[in-house]
Amino acid sequence: VASLDLDNIWIQSNYCTFSLSVPLDHVHQLGPEADKLVNNIGNFNIHVGSLQVTAVDYKSTESCDFCPPFCAPRDELACYLHTSCEWCVFEGTPHCGSDCLLQEIEEDLVVFFPCLPDNMDDRSEQQLQDSFSVQVRQLLIDRFGEWNSTRNINNINITDRTITFSVQSSMQHRITPDVINFLRNMTTWDGFTISDGFNQYPAREPTDHTDIKFLLRFDPAYNFTEILASSFDQRRLLEDAVGDMAMANSALPPLLASTVANIWAEENVIPFTINKPPDRQDINMSVIAADFARSIIEVSILGTPVKPLGVTYELGFYSICPYNCSAIG
């Protein structure tokens, strides 16, 4: 029967419950279809992996479910008198409900938020967890249609700028492999943000860095703290020289070389940063940093080209996060 709906499938202990429903204008078809199932109870098989289980008995009830059920707390047997209510046993105290959480659960899903603060109070953490739950539900609605609750999204934990969570099936929302694959795909999280009520924090692939901080270490004879102490003009000239070096270096794409900033030479070290547009996932900052560190580098110091003794670097997300200056310097 085209209009016959099979729903509310629930397997527990040694029985399986489900409901059959039809529109009002097809109600005459429900009885004959139910009779077919009853008369063929011996052919009703459930396959779990290589195991096949055959039904040996049945019980049935009838109801008119024109409105959403009100599954009031009561004993287990009374709960099943309504075809849309089940006895929920995987969410705290057993109770009667219309959307029980099931045993099926997928744990250890991970999303990285590079701009989350190292320390936060309990209130801010709870707001971020609530915001995450609501936004994940919206992702699921956009991709899979109706998703009327955040109950399936739980065990939300925030550690080291990473949010881990689990998703759990319920009677109305099954966590299928499609759902898991969707949530594990990093492109799903493009543009995804959460809020603590004040700041917005974007999700990001943890290896898709937006910034590089380079440290050029010169011979200790070049003490920039002393050399530049009495002349801002000399400091500006040195900053221009670092910018020119970056533009001339073939290891740095012009798009990145033009972003040189945060130059403040002290002792025998010249630090500077470069950054890429956040949406340029095709630019691998780790590869660029390594190539630059291996390249031939010369910086004009007081009019003389000087090679650094060594180059080190740090990868980060400075340009997209509200860092304090101390986090960059």
Side-chain angles (χ1 to χ4, degrees), residues 23 36 50 58 93-94 140 193 218 229 273:
K36 289 180 183 178
S50 59
Y58 76 94
T93 303
L140 295 171
T193 61
F218 293 84
T273 63

Side-chain angles (χ1 to χ4, degrees), residues 10-16 76 90:
W10 172 259
I11 299 175
Q12 183 176 328
S13 186
N14 65 332
Y15 58 86
C16 170
E76 183 174 358
F90 296 113

Side-chain angles (χ1 to χ4, degrees), residues 185-300:
N185 189 337
M186 282 309 304
T187 60
T188 294
W189 305 95
D190 290 346
F192 184 92
T193 61
I194 57 176
S195 173
D196 59 4
F198 299 97
N199 299 308
Q200 296 286 329
Y201 299 100
R204 195 165 185 87
E205 164 63 51
T207 60
D208 185 25
H209 299 95
T210 55
D211 299 73
I212 309 170
K213 176 182 177 180
F214 290 107
L215 298 171
L216 308 182
R217 299 185 183 277
F218 293 84
D219 188 287
Y222 293 95
N223 188 327
F224 298 113
T225 304
E226 295 179 358
I227 293 172
L228 306 176
S230 60
S231 175
F232 281 105
D233 289 339
Q234 287 296 332
R235 186 172 290 280
R236 291 192 188 94
L237 288 174
L238 182 61
E239 290 174 355
D240 291 342
V242 172
D244 292 341
M245 174 276 300
M247 292 298 295
N249 193 296
S250 60
L252 298 180
L255 176 66
L256 305 187
S258 64
T259 68
V260 167
N262 300 305
I263 306 169
W264 191 261
E266 289 186 317
E267 297 182 347
N268 64 322
V269 178
I270 299 178
F272 69 95
T273 63
I274 60 174
N275 66 274
K276 71 173 184 177
D279 60 349
R280 289 296 302 271
Q281 296 178 342
D282 58 309
I283 299 177
N284 189 322
M285 298 296 267
S286 180
V287 171
I288 289 171
D291 288 346
F292 178 79
R294 290 192 297 263
S295 68
I296 298 174
I297 301 168
E298 289 187 339
V299 179
S300 178

Side-chain angles (χ1 to χ4, degrees), residues 98 105 133 153 192 250 285:
S98 60
I105 187 169
S133 180
I153 306 155
F192 184 92
S250 60
M285 298 296 267

